[in-house]
Amino acid sequence: MICLCITEGTTESALELLRRYRPLIDIAELRLDLMERCRLDVVLRNSPCPVIVTNRPRREGGAFEGDERERIARLREAIELGAPYVDIEYDSLSRLGARRRTRLIVSYHNFEGVPPDLLSIYRELVEAGADVAKVAVMARDVTDNLSVFELLRAKQVPTIAHCMGEDGVVSRVLGKKFGCFLTYTALRGKESAPGQLTPEEIVELYRWKDIGEKTETYGVIGNPVAHSMSPAIHNAAFSAIRYDAVYVPFRVVSLRNFIESYRKIDVRGYSVTIPHKEEAVKCVDKVDELVRKIGALNTIVFRDGGARSYGYNTDSSSATSSIEEALGEPLEGKEVALVGAGGAGRAIAFGLIWKGAKLRVFNRTPEKAHRLAEELGAEGYSLREIGNHSFEILVNATSVGMYPNVDEMPVEGEIVGRAKLVFDAVYNPEETRLILEAKRRGIRYVTGFEMFVRQAVQQFELWTGQKAPVDVMQGVLAEKLCSKQ
Ligand code: NAP
């Protein structure tokens, strides 16, 4: 079930919210300790969905500061009025009295971390007579979610278990796979616990209602990762082709430990982003030739029932394949000027060499251009020297022109005018100043948007073996970029 936590306002505003959100949610939690005023009889009689009544004290992360007897009296009132559920903290259970028809959620919260004896704490909740046992613990690392999944796998009664905090978001989504009784959601800025998603995010972004025991798990590994657009793109693509899978963000500090630990829950594939692309090469069983040369990957696929992991670099192949498509012929023998020698520049450079292009690398910091060129067996120069060289294809792999510095260009307009085709890796905005310059001069061009979608399409197809819904993925990225500007 999806639960909306009501954390402010009055009887009337709570009912208004419940009516508005009823299409997305199954149940609501009235947080009496956070609400201004609430007539329980009125809400319970008029609520469009079942209600959990909670009156959380400070010691368990709530806001109630008054007399303990007064706090419990409100919960007793809820029971007398026939509330479907009352949430009672484990240490207050004995003070509550008869439960009548109300089902008791007996809860344990830990805002410090995951205690080593979590399973025995859980068993105490069950033995105390919980109709639903609830455990909420703070994630200090993304691997903490695994303790919660383990607990859910061992559940003895209906159980709510999740990790709080940014690193715990994964458990609020994937808990459903392990039979979690419900997931708590809240309106943006009105969270009752850190890490809660909104009802829209849980339903529309993470497809929570479709998640089941057999749902395959995918995700993006990075740090930071909260603003990645990949969950929106891949989840929309899974949904469009009715593929039973979900894609979540993993904020990872220690990559090897993360990959090994998460083998326990049978993840089928990852996107890998900054800062883990290089380290990831050492954490998979097999990489293709291109990955070995680049020394970085952005895609991991698990095969043979998760026994073996394979690494790919779709940043590189998406750039070269989109250039070749726009060119209408192979890159072999073409003179290419690549501007930029950072992560993207490196991936694109190896892809271009792999395709047989004649490459010159230009960079603001010339030493980096020289170093990369040496590895490639190509020529490297300072960016200032670009005017002295000929080329057919101009590739920008710097961040120049990226939002918010949208008026910048990595080279002068006159240099752009010499190219037959211009490629810009920057995807936000889709039409950079460089692309607009190429357009104005009637030069063919490929945008970073095209590369971004294509790398995601290639990942999707490597994971699922199915044709990706390209239009859907393009649409989601366009929408996300609009909302970021
Ligand atoms: P990075 O590793 O930080 O490298 C940045 C590059 O830009 C370096 O070569 C740097 O030169 C150069 N640069 C930065 N500011 C400059 C300036 N004012 N003038 C000249 N050169 C400048 O970044 P990255 O990961 O390679 O990403 C580069 C761009 O590619 C970003 O905009 C990123 O969003 C984009 N990208 C797109 C895709 C896609 O799918 N479309 C995928 C990956 C990356 P120095 O060495 O002199 O600092």
Side-chain angles (χ1 to χ4, degrees):
M1 291 195 287
I2 297 173
C3 177
L4 176 66
C5 301
I6 307 288
T7 57
E8 63 167 23
T10 60
T11 314
E12 297 72 32
S13 60
L15 281 170
E16 201 277 313
L17 266 185
L18 295 186
R19 288 192 197 103
R20 181 146 42 101
Y21 277 92
R22 183 66 184 99
L24 296 182
I25 63 168
D26 306 291
I27 191 165
E29 182 187 40
L30 289 180
R31 282 292 301 266
L32 298 182
D33 55 305
L34 295 166
M35 293 175 71
E36 262 166 61
R37 162 167 65 74
C38 178
R39 287 262 322 261
L40 274 176
D41 56 336
V42 177
V43 178
L44 289 171
R45 205 169 44 243
N46 296 294
S47 171
C49 62
V51 169
I52 301 167
V53 180
T54 303
N55 200 9
R56 191 80 71 223
R58 275 248 181 261
R59 64 171 193 282
E60 289 266 335
F64 188 91
E65 287 184 304
D67 183 77
E68 185 67 0
R69 276 169 305 190
E70 192 191 318
R71 187 176 78 82
I72 300 291
R74 287 288 268 157
L75 298 177
R76 277 243 49 89
E77 182 193 350
I79 291 175
E80 302 298 333
L81 289 167
Y85 296 91
V86 158
D87 180 317
I88 180 83
E89 304 70 29
Y90 172 59
D91 59 1
S92 308
L93 182 60
S94 59
R95 268 169 273 165
L96 192 63
R99 64 183 73 182
R100 297 182 177 232
R101 291 199 329 272
T102 298
R103 299 181 77 201
L104 293 189
I105 300 176
V106 180
S107 57
Y108 165 81
H109 301 85
N110 189 324
F111 285 82
E112 300 301 315
V114 183
D117 55 346
L118 189 66
L119 260 176
S120 47
I121 292 171
Y122 169 74
R123 287 195 191 107
E124 283 181 39
L125 306 184
V126 174
E127 279 158 25
D131 295 306
V132 179
K134 176 186 168 189
V135 168
V137 287
M138 184 62 79
R140 295 285 168 210
D141 184 85
V142 71
T143 50
D144 286 341
N145 295 295
L146 295 168
S147 306
V148 155
F149 299 148
E150 211 173 295
L151 187 154
L152 284 167
R153 274 179 168 151
K155 67 183 172 304
Q156 298 161 321
V157 295
T159 299
I160 303 164
H162 61 254
C163 281
M164 299 181 281
E166 183 192 339
D167 291 328
V169 166
V170 169
S171 69
R172 295 184 186 274
V173 178
L174 295 183
K176 174 97 180 288
K177 204 172 140 61
F178 303 98
C180 191
F181 184 64
L182 63 78
T183 190
Y184 292 96
T185 63
L187 305 192
R188 176 73 60 242
K190 313 283 182 210
E191 296 83 0
S192 61
Q196 277 173 349
L197 296 164
T198 64
E200 291 86 352
E201 284 169 333
I202 206 87
V203 174
E204 288 152 18
L205 171 58
Y206 291 111
R207 316 172 54 227
W208 201 85
K209 293 188 180 187
D210 295 330
I211 297 176
E213 204 186 333
K214 296 207 164 65
T215 300
E216 293 179 5
T217 304
Y218 296 87
V220 53
I221 299 172
N223 190 8
V225 81
H227 296 99
S228 168
M229 290 182 279
S230 298
I233 294 172
H234 286 294
N235 282 321
F238 288 137
S239 180
I241 69 158
R242 294 179 192 282
Y243 193 88
D244 187 12
V246 63
Y247 183 105
V248 288
F250 296 104
R251 194 179 70 93
V252 170
V253 177
S254 162
L255 184 66
R256 185 173 288 280
N257 178 41
F258 167 81
I259 291 185
E260 286 315 311
S261 311
Y262 267 76
R263 278 181 185 261
K264 283 188 202 139
I265 67 154
D266 190 23
V267 179
R268 299 296 175 90
Y270 295 112
S271 310
V272 182
T273 185
I274 294 164
H276 296 304
K277 289 185 182 189
E278 287 87 18
E279 172 75 7
V281 176
K282 295 181 231 140
C283 298
V284 291
D285 299 319
K286 207 168 180 330
V287 292
D288 68 12
E289 189 59 22
L290 188 55
V291 167
R292 205 183 338 271
K293 292 220 152 93
I294 302 170
L297 61 77
N298 74 331
T299 309
I300 297 177
V301 185
F302 290 93
R303 302 211 173 94
D304 310 325
R308 284 180 75 73
S309 54
Y310 295 77
Y312 300 90
N313 194 312
T314 69
D315 284 335
S316 180
S317 52
S318 62
T320 50
S321 65
S322 44
I323 294 173
E324 283 190 328
E325 197 174 294
L327 208 56
E329 53 184 317
L331 271 160
E332 189 167 7
K334 299 280 181 293
E335 280 195 306
V336 181
L338 168 72
V339 184
R346 188 177 169 82
I348 296 170
F350 275 96
L352 289 166
I353 291 285
W354 183 257
K355 290 279 182 178
K358 286 189 203 148
L359 181 66
R360 290 192 183 93
V361 181
F362 299 90
N363 197 48
R364 178 179 62 179
T365 312
E367 298 74 36
K368 277 170 72 180
H370 297 149
R371 261 201 311 274
L372 177 59
E374 200 174 314
E375 275 188 69
L376 293 159
E379 298 169 23
Y381 301 95
S382 160
L383 179 54
R384 291 213 194 98
E385 297 174 75
I386 193 164
N388 306 331
H389 297 273
S390 62
F391 53 84
E392 296 160 82
I393 299 167
L394 174 67
V395 174
N396 175 40
T398 73
S399 45
V400 179
M402 190 166 86
Y403 181 82
N405 303 316
V406 294
D407 291 328
E408 293 175 3
M409 241 189 351
V411 292
E412 297 295 320
E414 182 269 319
I415 303 284
V416 180
R418 296 197 212 164
K420 287 196 186 125
L421 185 138
V422 170
F423 173 89
D424 197 344
V426 174
Y427 57 85
N428 187 15
E430 182 176 359
E431 294 207 326
T432 57
R433 170 105 196 272
L434 176 64
I435 292 294
L436 290 172
E437 184 68 26
K439 236 174 150 176
R440 194 176 67 78
R441 291 171 180 265
I443 298 167
R444 273 179 287 173
Y445 60 89
V446 181
T447 66
F449 182 95
E450 169 71 24
M451 174 182 165
F452 192 101
V453 172
R454 210 175 266 244
Q455 61 80 23
V457 162
Q458 290 178 4
Q459 290 186 323
F460 188 91
E461 295 183 350
L462 280 165
W463 293 328
T464 64
Q466 313 254 344
K467 202 165 162 22
V470 182
D471 293 355
V472 171
M473 296 168 91
Q474 279 171 336
V476 174
L477 179 60
E479 198 181 300
K480 286 267 145 201
L481 290 179
C482 274
S483 69
K484 280 196 169 201
Q485 286 174 11

